[in-house]
Amino acid sequence: METVLGIESSCDETAAALVTGDRTILAQRIASQDDAHRPYGGIVPEIAARAHAERLAPLIEEVLAEADMALGDVDAIAATAGPGLIGGVMVGLVTAKALAMASDKPLIAINHLEGHALSPRLADPTLDFPYLLLLVSGGHCQLLLVEQVGRYRRLATTIDDALGEAFDKTAKMLGLGYPGGPAVERLAATGDADAVTLPRPLMGSAEPHFSFAGLKSAVLRAKQSGRHRDADIAAAFQQAAIDCVIDRTKRAIDVVDDVSALVVAGGVAANASVRSALEELAGAHGLRFVAPPLSLCTDNAAMIAWAGLERLATGQNDPLDFAARPRWPLDPDAEPVRGAGVKA
Ligand code: KG4
Ligand code: ZN
C-alpha cells in the first residue's frame, strides 16, 4: 500500500499528513496561525511565511513519529505548489523538494484547488467522476465539473469576492474578529434573517457566476444605520449568501448533464446551513450530495497527500525545479470573467 506525505502551507495553516492509497489517514497535524494574524484582522503574508518556516519541519517529524515511519518508508512527497501566498507556498514546496531529494522519492506538486476538489473522494470511496463541485473557500468561489484527475472544467467563478471572504468581511464589520466564517455562523443562529433586507447579486442571471461585493456593501450600510441587531444582520447575510449559492448551483446543474453527485468542498463547506441547503438542492434534482467531514473542508494536508496519491496512481510526478505558482487556475481554458480580478 502506497503512502504519501502531504504538505500544505499556502495560506495560514501549516499542515503535514501521511495518507495511504486505501484512504487511511495515518497521521495528520495542523498548526493554525490564527493567533499570529488576529491583531491585524487578516492574514499578513510575511508573518505567515515565517510561521510556516518555523513550524513545518517539526510537524513533519511529528506525523512520521505518530505513524511510526521513517522518511524512507514514504512512497512520494506531495506539497501545495500554488495558488496562494507565495512565501508560504515556497516554504512548503522547497521543504518537499529537499525531502524528496534526501529520500530519493518522487515529488508531486499539487494545485491547492485540486486538493480541495479531490478531497471528497478521500472521504467517500464511492464517489466517481464526473461530479459537480462547488468550491467555496476564503480565496475561491467556483463551480467546476470534475471530469477526472487533472481535468477540471470551470463553469463559474466569482466576479468579485469569494464566499469565504464575504463571511470574513461581514465578521469584521460586525466586530467578530478573525477568522470570521464560524463566528458569523454562530451569531446567525441567534438572529432573524427576515429582520434585515439584503440584496442577492446575480440571482437569476443566465451564467452561474457569483458576486458578493454588493451584498457586503449592503451589510455595511445595515450595520452603519444602527437600526439592526448584529445577530439579525448576520442571519440576513448568511441567508442572502445561501440563496445566491443555491440559485447559482441550480443554474450549473441545469447546464451539466450526466453527473451523479453534487459535491461541496473548501472552508465554507464547514457551514451547516450552507451544507443543508445544498443537500436539499441535490435531493430535488435526484443527485447524491457529498460533503467531506469538516476537518477535510478547511485547509489541511491530508487532502494534499490524497491528491498526490491520485496523481501517483496515474503515473504522474514533477521535476525538482518545479516553480511555485502564486496563481494557478484549475481550468486553464476557462474564459476570463468581467471583474473577476485575482480571484479568477
Ligand atoms: O479552504 P479554507 O480553509 O482556506 C482557503 O483556501 O481559503 O477556507 C477558509 C474560509 C474562510 O473564509 C473562513 O471564514 C471560511 O472558509 N469558513 C466558513 C466557516 N468555516 C470556515 N465560512 C462560513 N461558515 C463556516 N462555518
Ligand atoms: Zn483552501
Side-chain angles (χ1 to χ4, degrees):
M1 183 56 56
E2 304 210 287
T3 303
V4 167
L5 169 65
I7 293 173
E8 161 59 35
S9 60
S10 64
C11 194
D12 62 339
E13 343 274 353
T14 316
L18 286 162
V19 179
T20 63
D22 67 358
R23 295 177 162 79
T24 306
I25 300 174
L26 295 176
Q28 70 166 323
R29 287 276 192 286
I30 302 181
S32 159
Q33 305 174 0
D34 287 352
D35 292 343
H37 299 293
R38 190 168 288 118
Y40 308 94
I43 299 164
V44 183
E46 173 72 18
I47 292 175
R50 283 170 184 270
H52 289 305
E54 276 171 29
R55 299 305 311 278
L56 184 56
L59 290 185
I60 293 169
E61 279 199 311
E62 284 171 37
V63 293
L64 286 169
E66 186 182 329
D68 201 14
M69 290 177 85
L71 190 58
D73 303 326
V74 168
D75 294 287
I77 294 142
T80 295
L85 300 173
I86 194 68
V89 172
M90 285 174 69
V91 169
L93 184 58
V94 168
T95 303
K97 287 177 179 181
L99 295 177
M101 213 166 16
S103 62
D104 202 19
K105 298 290 158 76
L107 167 77
I108 311 173
I110 300 294
N111 182 319
H112 179 82
L113 301 175
E114 180 171 53
H116 280 302
L118 298 175
S119 66
R121 280 168 52 83
L122 167 56
D124 185 341
T126 68
L127 177 61
D128 289 326
F129 303 114
Y131 51 87
L132 177 62
L133 172 74
L134 172 69
L135 176 54
V136 275
S137 69
H140 299 273
C141 187
Q142 305 187 346
L143 281 156
L144 294 153
L145 182 62
V146 181
E147 294 175 327
Q148 52 174 265
V149 178
R151 251 198 24 226
Y152 311 92
R153 195 149 68 77
R154 198 196 72 191
L155 304 169
T157 187
T158 178
I159 63 167
D160 40 58
D161 294 349
L163 181 55
E165 195 179 355
F167 269 92
D168 292 334
K169 287 179 176 168
T170 294
K172 206 168 178 178
M173 290 185 261
L174 298 180
L176 299 177
Y178 170 86
V184 170
E185 181 178 16
R186 276 193 301 276
L187 186 61
T190 68
D192 173 9
D194 296 326
V196 188
T197 306
L198 295 174
R200 279 133 175 88
L202 290 189
M203 202 146 132
S205 75
E207 288 203 82
H209 295 308
F210 299 89
S211 168
F212 296 105
L215 175 57
K216 176 186 68 187
S217 315
V219 166
L220 182 61
R221 285 193 298 276
K223 171 68 183 169
Q224 287 174 339
S225 76
R227 289 191 285 115
H228 304 289
R229 294 170 57 220
D230 284 357
D232 293 344
I233 297 175
F237 160 76
Q238 184 171 275
Q239 191 54 54
I242 288 173
D243 288 352
C244 292
V245 166
I246 294 305
D247 177 74
R248 312 289 59 218
T249 306
K250 197 166 159 193
R251 192 78 207 122
I253 291 173
D254 291 343
V255 301
V256 294
D257 37 44
D258 241 19
V259 293
S260 59
L262 171 62
V263 177
V264 65
V268 186
N271 185 294
S273 304
V274 171
R275 283 165 97 102
S276 65
L278 288 167
E279 184 162 21
E280 198 179 307
L281 176 71
H285 286 80
L287 296 175
R288 265 180 73 203
F289 176 66
V290 178
L294 301 192
S295 60
L296 285 179
C297 286
T298 48
D299 285 350
N300 66 87
M303 72 180 188
I304 303 303
W306 175 252
L309 282 155
E310 295 251 38
R311 285 204 162 255
L312 205 58
T314 59
Q316 301 173 58
N317 59 67
D318 296 291
L320 287 176
D321 64 354
F322 193 99
R325 302 178 180 175
R327 294 194 192 180
W328 188 358
L330 265 188
D331 178 357
D333 300 327
E335 307 241 321
V337 178
R338 181 186 56 83
V342 295
K343 283 116 197 169

